[in-house]
Amino acid sequence: MAANARRLYDEGVRHFKIKVHGLVAEDVARVAAIREELGADAHLTIDANQSYQPKDAIQAITLMAPFRIELVEQPVPANDIRGLKLVTDAVPVVVEADEAPPTRSTRCFASARSAPPKR
């Protein structure tokens, strides 16, 4: 995957969405390898496709954060609003509720998050 990312980077792509699958060590290794291959100029986001339980999402995202990921898309099941809030409050990366049901509480929750700090 890192080699494919390098090819795209060499063609001018600078923003990458990395699919992860809920296996913490494997997912962190994938992000680390891509960051190492691309260097600091690439923008990395993660799409977890609801593959983590909250505890594992917190662990994975915390371990990925040093690799400068900018956003994590739907780390927990869409119907686990409490888990999504738990993750969002615990990690230093913006979490997106991409597949969560659009209810008043999720809209309020999502809008309460601030933008990531400028580096």
Side-chain angles (χ1 to χ4, degrees):
M1 187 174 279
N4 188 44
R6 166 52 67 188
R7 182 184 57 76
L8 292 168
Y9 186 89
D10 290 345
E11 293 174 6
V13 175
R14 294 295 181 264
H15 293 82
F16 296 84
K17 180 190 272 190
I18 304 167
K19 298 287 188 169
V20 294
H21 305 288
L23 302 172
V24 174
E26 182 180 307
D27 294 343
V28 172
R30 175 177 293 141
V31 170
I34 291 171
R35 173 57 73 202
E36 183 177 331
E37 181 66 32
L38 300 181
D41 291 336
H43 299 271
L44 305 182
T45 64
I46 305 303
D47 186 353
N49 289 315
Q50 308 180 60
S51 62
Y52 292 114
Q53 293 304 310
K55 180 181 172 185
D56 292 333
I58 292 167
Q59 180 185 18
I61 297 164
T62 300
L63 291 170
M64 292 175 193
F67 301 107
R68 295 184 41 236
I69 58 173
E70 298 173 1
L71 177 124
V72 177
E73 183 178 331
Q74 200 65 55
V76 298
N79 63 350
D80 187 359
I81 302 304
R82 286 191 176 123
L84 185 65
K85 179 163 177 21
L86 180 68
V87 172
T88 301
D89 289 346
V91 300
V93 178
V94 173
V95 176
E96 179 182 39
D98 180 51
E99 295 151 355
T103 65
R104 181 171 185 258
S105 63
T106 57
R107 284 191 302 273
C108 292
F109 163 67
S111 66
R113 288 292 293 170
S114 61
K118 293 193 181 218
R119 297 175 196 225

